Short mmCIF file of all heavy atoms in Angstrom, two decimals:
data_model
loop_
_atom_site.label_atom_id
_atom_site.label_comp_id
_atom_site.label_asym_id
_atom_site.label_seq_id
_atom_site.Cartn_x
_atom_site.Cartn_y
_atom_site.Cartn_z
N ALA A 373 164.93 56.27 81.48
CA ALA A 373 163.99 57.00 82.33
C ALA A 373 164.66 58.21 82.97
O ALA A 373 164.07 59.28 83.08
CB ALA A 373 163.42 56.08 83.41
N ASN A 374 165.90 58.03 83.39
CA ASN A 374 166.63 59.13 84.01
C ASN A 374 166.82 60.29 83.03
O ASN A 374 166.63 61.46 83.38
CB ASN A 374 167.99 58.62 84.51
CG ASN A 374 168.75 59.67 85.29
OD1 ASN A 374 168.26 60.21 86.28
ND2 ASN A 374 169.97 59.96 84.85
N ALA A 375 167.20 59.97 81.80
CA ALA A 375 167.38 61.02 80.79
C ALA A 375 166.08 61.76 80.53
O ALA A 375 166.07 63.00 80.37
CB ALA A 375 167.91 60.40 79.49
N LEU A 376 164.96 61.03 80.51
CA LEU A 376 163.67 61.68 80.28
C LEU A 376 163.29 62.58 81.44
O LEU A 376 162.81 63.71 81.24
CB LEU A 376 162.59 60.62 80.06
CG LEU A 376 161.18 61.15 79.76
CD1 LEU A 376 161.17 61.90 78.43
CD2 LEU A 376 160.17 60.00 79.74
N MET A 377 163.51 62.12 82.66
CA MET A 377 163.16 62.92 83.83
C MET A 377 163.96 64.23 83.86
O MET A 377 163.44 65.28 84.25
CB MET A 377 163.43 62.13 85.11
CG MET A 377 162.52 60.96 85.33
SD MET A 377 160.84 61.45 85.73
CE MET A 377 159.92 60.06 85.04
N LEU A 378 165.21 64.17 83.46
CA LEU A 378 166.10 65.33 83.55
C LEU A 378 166.01 66.28 82.36
O LEU A 378 166.44 67.43 82.46
CB LEU A 378 167.56 64.85 83.68
CG LEU A 378 167.95 64.18 85.00
CD1 LEU A 378 169.26 63.42 84.83
CD2 LEU A 378 168.08 65.22 86.11
N ARG A 379 165.46 65.81 81.25
CA ARG A 379 165.55 66.58 80.00
C ARG A 379 165.06 68.01 80.13
O ARG A 379 165.78 68.96 79.78
CB ARG A 379 164.76 65.86 78.90
CG ARG A 379 164.89 66.53 77.53
CD ARG A 379 163.85 66.02 76.57
NE ARG A 379 162.50 66.45 76.94
CZ ARG A 379 161.39 65.95 76.41
NH1 ARG A 379 161.46 64.98 75.51
NH2 ARG A 379 160.20 66.40 76.79
N ASN A 380 163.86 68.20 80.61
CA ASN A 380 163.29 69.55 80.66
C ASN A 380 163.93 70.41 81.75
O ASN A 380 164.22 71.58 81.54
CB ASN A 380 161.78 69.47 80.88
CG ASN A 380 161.04 68.92 79.68
OD1 ASN A 380 161.64 68.54 78.68
ND2 ASN A 380 159.71 68.85 79.77
N SER A 381 164.13 69.82 82.91
CA SER A 381 164.58 70.63 84.05
C SER A 381 166.02 71.09 83.91
O SER A 381 166.39 72.15 84.43
CB SER A 381 164.40 69.85 85.36
OG SER A 381 165.09 68.62 85.31
N THR A 382 166.84 70.32 83.18
CA THR A 382 168.24 70.70 83.02
C THR A 382 168.40 72.04 82.31
O THR A 382 169.42 72.72 82.49
CB THR A 382 168.99 69.59 82.24
OG1 THR A 382 168.92 68.37 82.99
CG2 THR A 382 170.45 69.94 82.02
N ILE A 383 167.41 72.43 81.55
CA ILE A 383 167.48 73.70 80.81
C ILE A 383 167.81 74.86 81.74
O ILE A 383 168.67 75.69 81.45
CB ILE A 383 166.15 73.97 80.08
CG1 ILE A 383 165.90 72.92 79.01
CG2 ILE A 383 166.14 75.38 79.46
CD1 ILE A 383 164.49 72.95 78.44
N ALA A 384 167.12 74.94 82.86
CA ALA A 384 167.31 76.07 83.77
C ALA A 384 168.72 76.10 84.35
O ALA A 384 169.28 77.17 84.57
CB ALA A 384 166.28 76.04 84.90
N ASN A 385 169.30 74.93 84.59
CA ASN A 385 170.66 74.89 85.13
C ASN A 385 171.67 75.32 84.08
O ASN A 385 172.59 76.09 84.37
CB ASN A 385 170.99 73.48 85.62
CG ASN A 385 170.03 73.00 86.69
OD1 ASN A 385 168.94 72.54 86.35
ND2 ASN A 385 170.41 73.09 87.95
N LEU A 386 171.51 74.84 82.85
CA LEU A 386 172.40 75.26 81.77
C LEU A 386 172.25 76.76 81.50
O LEU A 386 173.22 77.43 81.13
CB LEU A 386 172.11 74.47 80.51
CG LEU A 386 172.53 72.99 80.54
CD1 LEU A 386 171.97 72.26 79.34
CD2 LEU A 386 174.05 72.86 80.60
N LEU A 387 171.05 77.27 81.71
CA LEU A 387 170.79 78.70 81.50
C LEU A 387 171.35 79.55 82.62
O LEU A 387 171.41 80.78 82.50
CB LEU A 387 169.27 78.91 81.38
CG LEU A 387 168.73 80.28 81.03
CD1 LEU A 387 169.24 80.73 79.66
CD2 LEU A 387 167.21 80.27 81.06
N ASP A 388 171.78 78.91 83.71
CA ASP A 388 172.17 79.62 84.93
C ASP A 388 171.03 80.47 85.43
O ASP A 388 171.21 81.57 85.97
CB ASP A 388 173.42 80.48 84.72
CG ASP A 388 174.00 81.00 86.03
OD1 ASP A 388 173.80 80.33 87.06
OD2 ASP A 388 174.63 82.07 86.03
N GLY A 389 169.81 79.96 85.24
CA GLY A 389 168.62 80.71 85.61
C GLY A 389 168.02 80.25 86.91
O GLY A 389 168.62 79.50 87.69
N CYS A 390 166.81 80.72 87.15
CA CYS A 390 166.02 80.28 88.30
C CYS A 390 164.74 79.66 87.75
O CYS A 390 164.27 80.01 86.67
CB CYS A 390 165.72 81.45 89.23
SG CYS A 390 165.08 82.94 88.43
N ALA A 391 164.16 78.74 88.51
CA ALA A 391 162.97 78.04 88.04
C ALA A 391 162.19 77.50 89.23
O ALA A 391 162.76 77.20 90.28
CB ALA A 391 163.34 76.90 87.10
N ILE A 392 160.89 77.37 89.03
CA ILE A 392 160.02 76.84 90.08
C ILE A 392 159.02 75.89 89.45
O ILE A 392 158.54 76.11 88.35
CB ILE A 392 159.31 77.98 90.85
CG1 ILE A 392 158.62 77.45 92.11
CG2 ILE A 392 158.35 78.74 89.95
CD1 ILE A 392 158.20 78.55 93.08
N SER A 393 158.73 74.80 90.13
CA SER A 393 157.72 73.84 89.69
C SER A 393 156.50 73.95 90.61
O SER A 393 156.62 73.83 91.83
CB SER A 393 158.27 72.41 89.73
OG SER A 393 157.27 71.48 89.34
N LEU A 394 155.34 74.19 89.99
CA LEU A 394 154.08 74.29 90.72
C LEU A 394 153.20 73.09 90.39
O LEU A 394 153.16 72.65 89.24
CB LEU A 394 153.33 75.57 90.31
CG LEU A 394 154.08 76.89 90.43
CD1 LEU A 394 153.20 78.04 89.91
CD2 LEU A 394 154.50 77.16 91.86
N PRO A 395 152.47 72.54 91.36
CA PRO A 395 151.57 71.43 91.06
C PRO A 395 150.39 71.88 90.19
O PRO A 395 149.82 72.95 90.40
CB PRO A 395 151.07 70.98 92.44
CG PRO A 395 152.01 71.61 93.43
CD PRO A 395 152.49 72.87 92.80
N CYS A 396 150.05 71.07 89.20
CA CYS A 396 148.85 71.32 88.39
C CYS A 396 147.65 70.78 89.15
O CYS A 396 147.61 69.58 89.47
CB CYS A 396 148.97 70.65 87.03
SG CYS A 396 150.28 71.32 85.97
N PRO A 397 146.65 71.61 89.44
CA PRO A 397 145.59 71.20 90.37
C PRO A 397 144.62 70.15 89.82
O PRO A 397 143.97 69.46 90.59
CB PRO A 397 144.87 72.52 90.66
CG PRO A 397 145.12 73.36 89.45
CD PRO A 397 146.50 73.00 89.00
N GLU A 398 144.51 70.02 88.50
CA GLU A 398 143.50 69.12 87.94
C GLU A 398 144.08 67.77 87.54
O GLU A 398 143.46 67.02 86.79
CB GLU A 398 142.82 69.79 86.75
CG GLU A 398 142.07 71.07 87.13
CD GLU A 398 141.38 71.71 85.95
OE1 GLU A 398 141.04 70.99 85.00
OE2 GLU A 398 141.15 72.94 85.99
N ALA A 399 145.26 67.45 88.04
CA ALA A 399 145.90 66.19 87.69
C ALA A 399 145.45 65.07 88.62
O ALA A 399 145.37 65.26 89.84
CB ALA A 399 147.42 66.34 87.77
N ALA A 400 145.14 63.91 88.05
CA ALA A 400 144.78 62.75 88.87
C ALA A 400 145.99 62.26 89.65
O ALA A 400 145.87 61.80 90.79
CB ALA A 400 144.24 61.64 87.97
N ARG A 401 147.17 62.35 89.04
CA ARG A 401 148.44 62.06 89.69
C ARG A 401 149.33 63.28 89.53
O ARG A 401 149.17 64.06 88.59
CB ARG A 401 149.09 60.83 89.05
CG ARG A 401 148.28 59.56 89.17
CD ARG A 401 148.11 59.10 90.60
NE ARG A 401 147.60 57.73 90.68
CZ ARG A 401 147.34 57.10 91.79
NH1 ARG A 401 147.55 57.70 92.95
NH2 ARG A 401 146.88 55.85 91.78
#
Side-chain angles (χ1 to χ4, degrees):
N374 186 56
L376 182 64
M377 291 290 150
L378 290 164
R379 185 194 69 192
N380 290 3
S381 57
T382 299
I383 295 168
N385 302 81
L386 289 170
L387 186 61
D388 192 27
C390 48
I392 191 166
S393 178
L394 306 177
C396 295
E398 297 181 26
R401 298 295 193 181

